[in-house]
Amino acid sequence: MWRSCVPLRLDAPLHPLMTYELYYWPGIQGRGEFVRLALEEAGARYIDVAVLPKAKGGGVSAILKVLEARGIPRPPFAPPILKAGRQFVAQTPNILLFLGGRLKLAPTDEAGRLWTHQLQLTLLDLYLEIFHTHHPLGDGHAYEEQKSAAKRRTKDFLAVRLPKFLGYFERVLKLNRARGPWMVGARLTYVDLSMAQVIAGLRYAFPSASGKALRNRRRLRALHDVVFDRPRIAHYVSSDRRLAFNNEDLFRHYPELDR
C-alpha cells in the first residue's frame, strides 16, 4: 500500500483501517473535487493518486493503467475512480452513494439515501450545463473556436437554466423541516458539500451573474458559507491540497460570458 500523500487533518482520522485511493486527472478540481470534499469532511485517509510521483506509482500513467487493465471484472469508463480495498467504484454520484453510509455523510434510511442520491444527480446535471456554457460544441474544440456558440449558450443558461436550478435547490432547502441549513434532514450530507462547491464554482465562473442569481436565494448562500466554515473543510481549502479554480477546469471564467 502506498503511503498517503495527504497529511493528517485537524485530529486523528475517523477511519484508520481504510485508506482510499482516488484516481482523477491532475491540475484541476473537476468532478474529483466532490469526492475529495467528502473524504476531507469525514477525516478519511486517502491517496490522491495523480499527485504521487510516477516512481511511487502515481501520475497520469497510474490512472491509464486502471482504465486499460484487463483484470478488473467491472471496469470504470473514466475518472473519478475510487479504490476501496480491491473494489473500484466510478461515476461521481455513485462514489458518493458508496461513501455516504461509510463516512456518515448520508441518511441511514433508504428513502433518505435515495433522496440524497437524487439531489446529487440533479446537481451534476447543473454541473454539466455549466461546462457546456464554454464548450457547447464539445471539448474536442478549443474555447476560441466556439466563442459565438458559447455566448448564445451562456445567454440562455444565465437567463433560463441557472434560475430554474437554483430556484429548485432553494425550494428543497425551504422544504426541509429539520433544524439547520442542510438539504436533507438535520445533519450535513455529501450533497451539501457538493452544492457548496457548485456555488463556489459559479462565483468563480460568473461573478457578476451568479451574484444576481443568488441575491434572493439566502438559503443557498448560507449553505455555502456554513460548509466552507466547517473546520476540516476550511483546513483543506487553506492547504496546498486544494487546487485553485482555473481555466483548464470545468468551471471557467471568461469575462465576455459573464453578462
Side-chain angles (χ1 to χ4, degrees):
M1 177 65 69
W2 292 317
R3 184 170 60 86
S4 175
C5 63
V6 180
L8 296 181
R9 284 153 292 283
L10 298 180
D11 49 11
L14 303 177
H15 310 274
L17 300 181
M18 171 63 76
T19 299
Y20 298 98
E21 295 170 20
L22 175 63
Y23 294 77
Y24 197 70
W25 307 117
I28 61 172
Q29 294 182 13
R31 294 176 176 86
E33 193 67 8
F34 298 107
V35 182
R36 291 189 194 99
L37 287 170
L39 293 166
E40 292 283 345
E41 168 62 25
R45 289 184 182 273
Y46 71 100
I47 298 167
D48 206 336
V49 174
V51 305
L52 282 180
K54 186 176 180 180
K56 293 187 177 182
V60 172
S61 59
I63 299 172
L64 297 178
K65 184 177 179 180
V66 169
L67 293 176
E68 297 166 1
R70 299 297 183 186
I72 300 177
R74 299 182 178 91
F77 176 71
I81 304 160
L82 186 80
K83 186 172 185 284
R86 296 184 177 181
Q87 185 174 9
F88 289 91
V89 184
Q91 294 287 357
T92 305
N94 202 37
I95 295 171
L96 293 172
L97 180 66
F98 173 79
L99 287 175
R102 289 164 175 80
L103 302 184
K104 300 187 186 304
L105 290 174
T108 57
D109 63 295
E110 183 179 22
R113 289 194 302 271
L114 287 174
W115 175 229
T116 307
H117 185 55
Q118 178 178 319
L119 290 172
Q120 185 70 37
L121 289 167
T122 306
L123 190 57
L124 267 292
D125 287 343
L126 169 59
Y127 187 64
L128 189 60
E129 291 203 26
I130 295 168
F131 172 74
H132 285 153
T133 61
H134 53 77
H135 274 74
L137 303 183
D139 55 7
H141 303 275
Y143 167 70
E144 289 72 20
E145 298 178 277
Q146 46 191 315
K147 274 189 176 183
S148 179
K151 287 181 179 179
R152 293 197 300 271
R153 182 66 177 258
T154 303
K155 182 178 179 181
D156 178 75
F157 173 76
L158 294 178
V160 180
R161 300 298 291 166
L162 182 59
K164 186 172 183 177
F165 274 105
L166 295 184
Y168 170 74
F169 288 120
E170 181 78 6
R171 182 159 59 95
V172 168
L173 286 164
K174 184 177 180 180
L175 290 172
N176 183 10
R177 297 183 179 279
R179 292 188 62 184
W182 313 121
M183 299 182 77
V184 181
R187 294 180 56 184
L188 174 139
T189 65
Y190 60 77
V191 78
D192 296 310
L193 299 168
S194 296
M195 186 77 249
Q197 168 68 4
V198 168
I199 293 172
L202 282 168
R203 286 174 168 171
Y204 169 78
F206 305 106
S208 177
S210 66
K212 294 176 183 177
L214 289 164
R215 186 174 298 158
N216 296 321
R217 272 103 188 192
R218 62 176 180 83
R219 293 177 180 84
L220 285 172
R221 298 197 313 271
L223 175 65
H224 168 275
D225 293 348
V226 76
V227 163
F228 283 102
D229 280 344
R230 291 179 70 83
R232 290 180 183 274
I233 297 299
H235 183 67
Y236 165 61
V237 168
S238 65
S239 75
D240 59 4
R241 300 193 304 283
R242 168 80 165 186
L243 297 168
F245 290 112
N246 62 74
N247 275 19
E248 299 299 321
D249 211 331
L250 279 82
F251 290 112
R252 300 190 185 189
H253 175 59
Y254 295 111
E256 63 271 22
L257 299 183
D258 187 24
R259 301 281 175 81

